[in-house]
C-alpha cells in the first residue's frame, strides 16, 4: 500500500500539472472505487481552478477555487498517470485541464477512493478528525510524544502506527525510524525518556525525507505520476532484511504481527 512518502511524491508530481489550471472536463469510467464517487463530483469540479495541492497522512488533497477539496486515497495499487499515451483498462477517473493536460487515476484493485469535501470542513472530515500531528510538521516533538505516550504500556511500534498519535506513519517507515533511533520496537512506549523521544522524532523525519527524495518504496504496483518507480527500498536498513546483516554486523530479525512484520536489529535496538 502506498505510504506517506509515496503520497507526498504523488502530490509533488501532480502540482506542476494542476496548480493554477482550470478543470475542463472530468470523466468517470465507473461508478466508484472502494466507495461510489460523489454524485455531484463532475458538476462541482468542471470549470473549477486548482489553487493548491496538499497531503494529510496518506491522503492526497486537491484544493479548488470553489472552496471544495478533492480527497483521494491510493488504496493498495492506485496511482495517477500524467499525460498517458494510451487509455488503460483501470483508468477509472480522467481529468483534463484547459491547457490540455490529462491525468488518469489508475487503480486495478479499486481499494482507493475519491471524495469531495468543503475545504472549510476538512478538519472535521471523518478520516482526519481524530488524527495526530503530521510527522514532518512542527507539532511533532519529543515533548509531544512524551505527553501522548505517558503511562502507555503498549509497544512503541504499535503506538507510532496509531493514527491518533502520529498521522500517516506506516509499517516500513516505523521499522526504519526505530532502527535509526536505536529503540527496540517492543519497548513500552510510556517508559521512553524525553532525550530518546527527541532522537526518535529526528529519525522519523530523516527516514521520511530520504524516502520522499528517493520517490518512495516500490511495493506491488506503485509508481510515481511520471511512471518512474520509487527506489527507497534500496536504502532499507532493516525492513525486508530478515537474516541479512545490519550495518553493525548483527543479523536482522523478523517477527510476524497480525498481518504485518516487525524487522529490527537485536544488537542496535536493545532498549
Amino acid at each position: 500500500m502506498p505510504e506517506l512518502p509515496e503520497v507526498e511524491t504523488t502530490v509533488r508530481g501532480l502540482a506542476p500539472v494542476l496548480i493554477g489550471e482550470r478543470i475542463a472536463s472530468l470523466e468517470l469510467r465507473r461508478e466508484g472505487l472502494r466507495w461510489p464517487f460523489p454524485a455531484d463530483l463532475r458538476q462541482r469540479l468542471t470549470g473549477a481552478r486548482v489553487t493548491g495541492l496538499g497531503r494529510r497522512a496518506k491522503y492526497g488533497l486537491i484544493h479548488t477555487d470553489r472552496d471544495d477539496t478533492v480527497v483521494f486515497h491510493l488504496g493498495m495499487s492506485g496511482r495517477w498517470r500524467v499525460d498517458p499515451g494510451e487509455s488503460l483498462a483501470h483508468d477509472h477517473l480522467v481529468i483534463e485541464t484547459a491547457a490540455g493536460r490529462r491525468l488518469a487515476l489508475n487503480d486495478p484493485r479499486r481499494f482507493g477512493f475519491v471524495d469531495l469535501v468543503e475545504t472549510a470542513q476538512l478538519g472535521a472530515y471523518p478520516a482526519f478528525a481524530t488524527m495526530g500531528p503530521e510527522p514532518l510538521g512542527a507539532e511533532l516533538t519529543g515533548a509531544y510524544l512524551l505527553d501522548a505516550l505517558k503511562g502507555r504500556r503498549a509497544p512503541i511500534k504499535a503506538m507510532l502506527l496509531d493514527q491518533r498519535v502520529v498521522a500517516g506513519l506506516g509499517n516500513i517507515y516505523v521499522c526504519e525510524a526505530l532502527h535509526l533511533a536505536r529503540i527496540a520496537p517492543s519497548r513500552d512506549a510510556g517508559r521512553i525518556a524525553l532525550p530518546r523521544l527527541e532522537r526518535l522524532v529526528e529519525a522519523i523525519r530523516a527516514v521520511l525525507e530520504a524516502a520522499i527524495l528517493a520517490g518512495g518504496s516500490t511495493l506491488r504496483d506503485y509508481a510515481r505520476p511520471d511512471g518512474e518507480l520509487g527506489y527507497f527500498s534500496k536504502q532499507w536498513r532493516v525492513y525486508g532484511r530478515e537474516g541479512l546483516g545490519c550495518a553493525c554486523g548483527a543479523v536482522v530479525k523478523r517477527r510476524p504481527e497480525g498481518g504485518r512484520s516487525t524487522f529490527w536489529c537485536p544488537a542496535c535496538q536493545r532498549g
Side-chain angles (χ1 to χ4, degrees), residues 149 151-155 186-190:
L149 302 176
R152 303 301 295 266
R153 300 191 64 179
S186 58
R187 175 85 171 173
D188 287 358

Side-chain angles (χ1 to χ4, degrees), residues 151-173:
R152 303 301 295 266
R153 300 191 64 179
I156 182 61
K157 186 194 173 196
M159 295 306 299
L160 292 177
L161 289 173
D162 187 335
Q163 300 299 291
R164 295 168 297 181
V165 177
V166 185
L169 290 182
N171 193 45
I172 295 173
Y173 301 104

